[in-house]
Amino acid sequence: MKSPSPSHVVDDASTSLPPLRQWQSDCLHRALANLTSLCQATPGAGKMLLAAVLANALITRGDIDYVVYLGPTRAVVKDASDTLGAVLNSSMDGQLGAIGVALTYHSLSNRLAALKRLCQGFRVFLIWDESHHASAPGGQINEANQWGLALLALERHVRYTLALSGT
């Protein structure tokens, strides 16, 4: 089965969305070809739109069933949920019929067991936004903060992970 082109995926997502910038389109091509490649962008460059279009492409290709978005604050999570919901044409509230759930890092510890079960039963795409908030001093994983440790515990069970940071 041939994968849809990124521009086709954007066209299918919604005609009211802004077109992808060249860097977004290039990164989307690389991510769809090989999800281990690295893409970098500055704050405000449109990383969330790229992540949403990538999620849509993975759903369209049949690679994932569900999207889990994690971010540092309620305001960031709301904006990401709105973008994901618009591109995926589905709710991100985690309720029945939703394509995913958008949560703050703070809420992750209370939902970790349920999210692990979800990830073990379905093909989940984890979008980990502002990943620097879960950092460990000097890169030592065993010294990661509480959010980072919970993310590491969850990440082992997901199909794909996309870590975003503009910092």
Side-chain angles (χ1 to χ4, degrees), residues 35-36 58-59 61-68 115-116 118-127 154-162:
L35 291 176
T36 62
L58 292 171
I59 290 167
R61 274 189 354 186
D63 290 345
I64 62 168
D65 305 308
Y66 201 77
V67 177
V68 173
L115 287 170
K116 279 185 190 177
L118 174 76
C119 294
Q120 291 166 345
F122 298 93
R123 299 169 301 167
V124 173
F125 178 41
L126 172 63
I127 301 170
L154 179 62
E155 190 176 32
R156 288 179 226 158
H157 303 285
V158 301
R159 176 87 182 247
Y160 296 116
T161 299
L162 177 63

Side-chain angles (χ1 to χ4, degrees), residues 3-167:
S3 300
S5 70
S7 59
H8 176 72
V9 172
V10 173
D11 292 341
D12 287 350
S14 171
T15 56
S16 65
L17 295 174
L20 291 180
R21 295 176 180 139
Q22 186 62 48
W23 80 264
Q24 291 169 318
S25 181
D26 293 345
C27 187
L28 183 60
H29 281 285
R30 286 193 308 268
L32 288 172
N34 181 356
L35 291 176
T36 62
S37 294
L38 176 65
C39 303
Q40 293 180 313
T42 59
K47 291 177 291 299
M48 196 61 245
L49 177 60
L50 170 68
V53 172
L54 176 58
N56 189 52
L58 292 171
I59 290 167
T60 300
R61 274 189 354 186
D63 290 345
I64 62 168
D65 305 308
Y66 201 77
V67 177
V68 173
Y69 170 87
L70 295 168
T73 66
R74 282 187 253 171
V76 170
V77 169
K78 166 102 173 68
D79 289 346
S81 179
D82 291 347
T83 299
L84 285 160
V87 172
L88 301 175
N89 195 31
S90 183
S91 172
M92 284 292 296
D93 65 5
Q95 300 299 311
L96 286 174
I99 194 65
V101 64
L103 305 167
T104 62
Y105 287 135
H106 181 71
S107 67
L108 179 58
S109 60
N110 294 331
R111 298 182 184 203
L112 186 56
L115 287 170
K116 279 185 190 177
R117 284 191 304 275
L118 174 76
C119 294
Q120 291 166 345
F122 298 93
R123 299 169 301 167
V124 173
F125 178 41
L126 172 63
I127 301 170
W128 169 7
D129 201 355
E130 298 195 29
S131 55
H132 57 277
H133 285 276
S135 66
Q140 299 299 316
I141 290 176
N142 60 341
E143 295 179 24
N145 63 26
Q146 180 181 351
W147 297 340
L149 293 174
L151 278 166
L152 288 172
L154 179 62
E155 190 176 32
R156 288 179 226 158
H157 303 285
V158 301
R159 176 87 182 247
Y160 296 116
T161 299
L162 177 63
L164 303 174
S165 180
T167 304

